[in-house]
Amino acid sequence: MNEMIQSVSSLSGVGPKAMEQLQQMGISTIQDLFEHFPFRYEDHAIRPINEVQHDERVTLQGKVHSEPDLRFFGKKKSRLTVRVLVDGLLVQAIFFNQPYLKKQINLGDHLVFSGKLDRNRLAVTGGTVKPKSIDRESGLEPVYSVKGDIKVQMLKKWIDLAFSEYGEQVKEILPEQLLATYRLMERRSALYHLHFPADLDTFRQAKRRMIYEELLLFQMKMQLFRKQRREEEKGNGKVFQEKEVTTFIEGLPFPLTGAQKRVLNEIIDDLSSPYKMNRLLQGDVGSGKTIVAAISLYANVLAGYQGAMMVPTEILAEQHLASLKDLFEGMGVKIAQLSGSARAKEKRETLQQLRDGQIDIIVGTHALIQEGVDFDRLGFVITDEQHRFGVEQRRVLKNKGLQPDVLFMTATPIPRTLAISAFGDMDVSTIDEMPKGRKPIKTHWAKHDMLPRVIDFMKKELGNGHQVYVICPLIEESETLDVQNAIDVHFQLSQALPEINVGLMHGRLHHEEKDTTMHSFAINETQVLVSTTVVEVGVNVPNATVMVIYDADRFGLSQLHQLRGRVGRGSDQSHCILLADPKTDVGKERMSIMTETNDGFELSQRDLELRGPGDFFGVKQSGLPQFKIADIVEDYRVLEIARQDATKLANSKAFWSSEDYRLLREALEKQGAFQESKFD
Ligand code: ADP
Ligand code: MG
């Protein structure tokens, strides 16, 4: 009998009310309680004051050098100040709303206290007095997140109680062989020392063990889902003459890059195999993903299937339609667009032709698979430039009884660590090479007061017949302000460049107006395009050689890189000018990184380091897993190792049959690893 799944209510002191609140914190069983890890540790290791940074939280000790001075203000507010001699320096310790400390602190006392260090005033504020009995050895005080009426002290007491009553029953779930290979601490001790760190080294070992366990279980789940899906969705491979594909490739106006050839092989293999493709294709802006998509669509058509290409906007749909039509000129491939703005009659016809199989390739926004659209033989779906991958779309398709091969394309290169964690059950193809002959974009960082020089530079480029994008500041949460900004900048530039046609683009325009604006820029009727970020994705105007971004420090690195990628598409030298007066170090760092590298992968890795994985995709729905103890950025090496181990295990016989792996199998089963519906 596994006592670990006992309810926490079996602990003395946990009544029905506490139980309810614990449940809201995700704690129902003893095991949940054990796995409710501190979200951080306060480091009470007492350090010499000169090693402490400004604004850092510290614990200091010293001799009380003045009588505490207590002042009241407001109704219940108070401030107590006392001078303490620390390492030969007089430090002001300031305690808010703890008037009772006046009685406890006496001249000449030895005082241990913590708070935030203000180096300029040599003061520690927001402080608390530490009992002298604090765990001196590790100096680590676990800090827990709690909810409602649950207090940290209660939680600690229950965890302690749980260990004395049920600690013995914590079982090892990792197989002996892995424990030995990585010299991992045994599960029970690891759990214990995360809550009650004995000393720093033991704590680190405990953490290392639990991080590995968490990531291994995660990767195992991914591998198991993948295996299941492969078995469930096994069908017939697509049959076509590869020679015809090769002939098509040879007819292109340029040779494919090595990277394009490699990913194309991966895709073609998927198409021909009996397994359904579930693949992410990533490649920097301008690396030539579209042609790869086109060739794969062609192979799919050769095999007798219809294909769909989904993009985020109508502008992009039109652009793709045009380039696909170009590519397939005279080859008897029928391509159409399902456009939201088409007239009802036209739309009906398109739908009809899709249903009876006359259309080979359909291009459109994501509405393509959502609404009442029926296909004759849909074999392949490509999704371009979008961030919310996979799961949702797979479900929509599945619900419609369709199981086409699926390829997701993204121009936001994802650091490998994120790719393998967020898309653990997907295959990933990467184009990591640019077509030959591209001139790297030169990126410059200028302060806003240099605008007159920037305008001169624009004039020079315009004089050479080139075009210019100007992107307006991003105001978080307010599209109205974004639009206002764009209108202002448009006005300003129209005045500064009287001979030039300056276009204006923003999200409030009706989509026909957007199309017209974009079109005039594409055919060089307007030479400068002032825009909010709506212009960001995929647009291709090779004659544009300058990208100016106002308040560039408000944008994330990936977004800046995307914007920059709108230029540098022709054979002339392109420039990106970042106008920014960043106030924060992170802002400055971003500007420097932009001027230092054109490589999207390097940039995304640095972005990830700067922002952390949560922010990287902007939103929670990104599909990134939430880990309890592991950190995707810091622990990426472990993540990779865990993936290798998981792949090996999932494909081994031992994992499925041996007694050594029984507890691991059970742990995975509890997490729903053997049923894909959990994942959807
Ligand atoms: P992205 O990966 O950003 O979607 P595109 O597919 O739009 O990039 O390609 C950018 C440009 O590069 C297009 O004009 C395309 O025709 C061109 N291109 C693609 N592959 C090659 C190649 N192998 N050699 C030269 N030019 C290429
Ligand atoms: Mg593209």
Side-chain angles (χ1 to χ4, degrees):
M1 164 71 191
N2 185 353
E3 302 280 358
M4 299 288 291
I5 53 171
Q6 279 265 8
S7 163
V8 274
S9 62
S10 65
L11 295 170
S12 84
V14 180
K17 184 128 186 289
M19 179 68 204
E20 202 175 291
Q21 300 202 325
L22 283 171
Q23 267 169 350
Q24 291 195 353
M25 291 164 51
I27 303 172
S28 305
T29 64
I30 297 292
Q31 172 157 338
D32 296 337
L33 191 61
F34 285 155
E35 291 177 12
H36 185 77
F37 300 122
F39 73 94
R40 71 182 170 87
Y41 294 81
E42 202 145 310
D43 187 357
H44 294 299
I46 294 166
R47 284 187 291 164
I49 193 164
N50 56 11
E51 285 178 10
V52 182
Q53 305 283 314
H54 181 66
D55 261 1
E56 210 183 338
R57 285 195 72 82
V58 286
T59 300
L60 299 171
Q61 61 175 338
K63 201 167 163 188
V64 177
H65 206 263
S66 71
E67 286 292 348
D69 176 42
L70 178 64
R71 305 268 165 105
F72 283 92
F73 52 97
K75 247 192 181 155
K76 285 182 179 161
K77 300 197 166 136
S78 72
R79 178 178 55 221
L80 183 127
T81 313
V82 61
R83 283 198 291 280
V84 186
L85 193 63
V86 179
D87 302 336
L89 294 168
L90 265 188
V91 176
Q92 281 210 54
I94 300 166
F95 305 95
F96 291 107
N97 309 326
Q98 302 165 73
Y100 49 84
L101 286 178
K102 188 167 167 64
K103 287 213 181 88
Q104 297 172 11
I105 299 177
N106 299 300
L107 199 64
D109 275 359
H110 178 81
L111 188 70
V112 184
F113 62 105
S114 70
K116 209 155 106 181
L117 180 71
D118 179 336
R119 281 209 76 102
N120 305 324
R121 295 195 296 142
L122 215 56
V124 171
T125 55
T128 49
V129 170
K130 294 292 155 191
K132 288 173 195 112
S133 64
I134 195 153
D135 187 356
R136 247 334 126 52
E137 279 193 62
S138 73
L140 292 175
E141 182 190 343
V143 183
Y144 294 87
S145 66
V146 282
K147 273 192 189 150
D149 297 332
I150 307 284
K151 297 276 175 302
V152 174
Q153 283 315 321
M154 293 151 73
L155 192 69
K156 282 188 184 174
K157 205 179 79 196
W158 292 329
I159 295 173
D160 197 13
L161 200 60
F163 269 110
S164 44
E165 287 181 24
Y166 299 100
E168 289 300 307
Q169 286 154 23
V170 176
K171 295 207 184 68
E172 184 52 74
I173 62 172
L174 294 181
E176 193 47 48
Q177 169 255 330
L178 287 176
L179 290 177
T181 309
Y182 301 120
R183 297 165 185 272
L184 295 174
M185 186 183 276
E186 175 256 334
R187 190 165 209 271
R188 181 185 309 147
S189 315
L191 284 176
Y192 185 81
H193 288 289
L194 282 173
H195 294 288
F196 307 101
D199 57 64
L200 205 57
D201 190 51
T202 316
F203 164 73
R204 288 197 180 121
Q205 294 301 334
K207 192 166 172 195
R208 186 169 74 85
R209 139 86 211 208
M210 292 314 294
I211 288 172
Y212 177 79
E213 175 187 311
E214 182 168 44
L215 294 177
L216 181 76
L217 288 177
F218 171 73
Q219 294 291 7
M220 280 302 289
K221 264 191 284 183
M222 290 299 149
Q223 293 304 319
L224 295 174
F225 287 149
R226 209 181 124 160
K227 243 176 125 70
Q228 269 161 236
R229 210 189 42 247
R230 287 191 141 218
E231 271 148 35
E232 271 168 26
E233 297 180 356
K234 214 159 163 176
N236 296 320
K238 300 199 163 83
V239 184
F240 50 89
Q241 294 290 321
E242 290 210 16
K243 190 150 180 315
E244 290 186 61
V245 180
T246 317
T247 311
F248 177 59
I249 295 173
E250 281 161 0
L252 292 173
F254 44 72
L256 294 182
T257 63
Q260 281 172 320
K261 281 186 205 151
R262 192 188 63 237
V263 303
L264 201 56
N265 279 331
E266 292 166 356
I267 293 169
I268 299 274
D269 279 353
D270 277 0
L271 286 175
S272 349
S273 93
Y275 301 114
K276 290 297 168 213
M277 178 194 318
N278 184 33
R279 187 172 284 280
L280 177 74
L281 172 59
Q282 55 169 347
D284 214 339
V285 222
S287 62
K289 293 182 294 296
T290 313
I291 191 72
V292 171
I295 298 166
S296 336
L297 281 166
Y298 183 56
N300 177 65
V301 171
L302 286 177
Y305 290 89
Q306 292 172 299
M309 172 106 166
M310 297 196 293
V311 295
T313 66
E314 298 257 333
I315 298 178
L316 270 180
E318 261 153 47
Q319 212 170 277
H320 275 307
L321 182 76
S323 46
L324 288 176
K325 277 192 165 155
D326 248 17
L327 277 167
F328 292 126
E329 179 87 64
M331 299 183 66
V333 176
K334 181 155 164 85
I335 309 161
Q337 183 188 358
L338 192 65
S339 162
S341 56
R343 274 169 305 151
K345 177 163 173 280
E346 218 176 297
K347 219 167 168 176
R348 251 198 328 271
E349 271 174 27
T350 310
L351 287 173
Q352 182 57 45
Q353 291 178 346
L354 261 185
R355 207 173 307 132
D356 60 29
Q358 288 180 57
I359 293 174
D360 297 312
I361 298 173
I362 185 91
V363 183
T365 62
H366 298 128
L368 251 189
I369 55 162
Q370 311 269 354
E371 286 157 18
V373 185
D374 297 316
F375 294 84
D376 179 34
R377 286 188 87 192
L378 181 65
F380 190 23
V381 174
I382 300 183
T383 307
D384 190 18
E385 312 275 9
Q386 82 146 4
H387 245 166
R388 254 176 292 137
F389 312 90
V391 179
E392 176 60 23
Q393 290 186 345
R394 257 195 345 250
R395 177 170 39 217
V396 174
L397 288 167
K398 209 170 178 176
N399 289 347
K400 297 182 85 166
L402 297 168
Q403 292 194 344
D405 285 305
V406 178
L407 180 72
F408 299 92
M409 304 203 293
T410 175
T412 307
I414 301 153
R416 186 172 156 70
T417 68
L418 286 192
I420 67 173
S421 49
F423 317 108
D425 72 324
M426 276 187 160
D427 298 300
V428 179
S429 291
T430 302
I431 305 186
D432 51 6
E433 180 186 353
M434 284 290 184
K436 289 210 175 56
R438 292 272 170 81
K439 289 202 179 75
I441 301 161
K442 289 191 176 147
T443 302
H444 320 268
W445 169 18
K447 302 277 163 73
H448 281 96
D449 61 14
M450 289 160 77
L451 186 61
R453 280 180 56 193
V454 174
I455 291 178
D456 284 345
F457 181 73
M458 284 163 63
K459 282 184 184 154
K460 203 180 104 211
E461 286 289 308
L462 289 162
N464 291 333
H466 292 309
Q467 289 165 276
V468 177
Y469 287 102
V470 178
I471 303 297
C472 290
L474 180 77
I475 308 288
E476 250 152 65
E477 313 293 346
S478 170
E479 201 200 346
T480 316
L481 287 179
D482 283 353
V483 170
Q484 191 51 48
N485 268 318
I487 292 170
D488 292 348
V489 172
H490 177 257
F491 178 76
Q492 198 185 6
L493 289 180
S494 304
Q495 302 244 301
L497 304 165
E499 271 101 71
I500 299 292
N501 292 328
V502 184
L504 173 63
M505 174 88 147
H506 56 70
R508 286 287 162 86
L509 294 181
H510 191 266
H511 79 203
E512 277 161 27
E513 294 171 294
K514 274 190 208 161
D515 286 355
T516 319
T517 310
M518 210 49 236
H519 187 67
S520 328
F521 189 66
I523 61 170
N524 202 358
E525 247 173 43
T526 46
Q527 291 77 44
V528 176
L529 182 64
V530 175
S531 175
T532 60
T533 50
V534 291
V535 82
E536 188 182 344
V537 235
V539 176
N540 194 19
V541 180
N543 190 45
T545 55
V546 182
M547 165 64 66
V548 178
I549 306 174
Y550 277 68
D551 280 326
D553 54 318
R554 289 178 188 257
F555 297 89
L557 276 175
S558 302
Q559 202 177 10
L560 288 171
H561 185 62
Q562 284 288 312
L563 289 167
R564 174 168 65 183
R566 297 306 108 219
V567 296
R569 305 193 141 235
S571 50
D572 295 298
Q573 179 63 56
S574 286
H575 301 267
C576 173
I577 300 168
L578 308 169
L579 282 171
D581 303 273
K583 300 206 172 47
T584 62
D585 288 344
V586 173
K588 284 179 199 149
E589 179 77 15
R590 275 198 210 134
M591 295 307 104
S592 322
I593 294 174
M594 283 297 292
T595 58
E596 283 159 22
T597 181
N598 261 314
D599 176 339
F601 284 96
E602 183 183 338
L603 207 126
S604 72
Q605 181 62 41
R606 293 178 70 172
D607 198 16
L608 177 63
E609 284 159 13
L610 270 183
R611 289 205 283 171
D615 275 358
F616 187 81
F617 286 117
V619 265
K620 281 257 155 64
Q621 59 187 345
S622 59
L624 269 188
Q626 302 286 313
F627 291 117
K628 278 185 182 169
I629 186 160
D631 175 313
I632 308 186
V633 181
E634 274 178 28
D635 304 320
Y636 75 93
R637 282 197 192 83
V638 186
L639 186 68
E640 297 230 17
I641 290 169
R643 180 174 169 89
Q644 289 160 15
D645 291 342
T647 314
K648 250 187 261 158
L649 272 181
N651 293 313
S652 73
K653 225 171 153 180
F655 169 74
W656 297 96
S657 53
S658 156
E659 177 63 19
D660 296 349
Y661 296 89
R662 186 173 55 85
L663 290 172
L664 179 61
R665 285 195 302 268
E666 281 176 15
L668 282 163
E669 177 153 27
K670 233 184 286 169
Q671 294 191 10
F674 297 102
Q675 53 196 94
E676 196 190 4
S677 52
K678 267 259 161 92
F679 183 61
D680 289 346

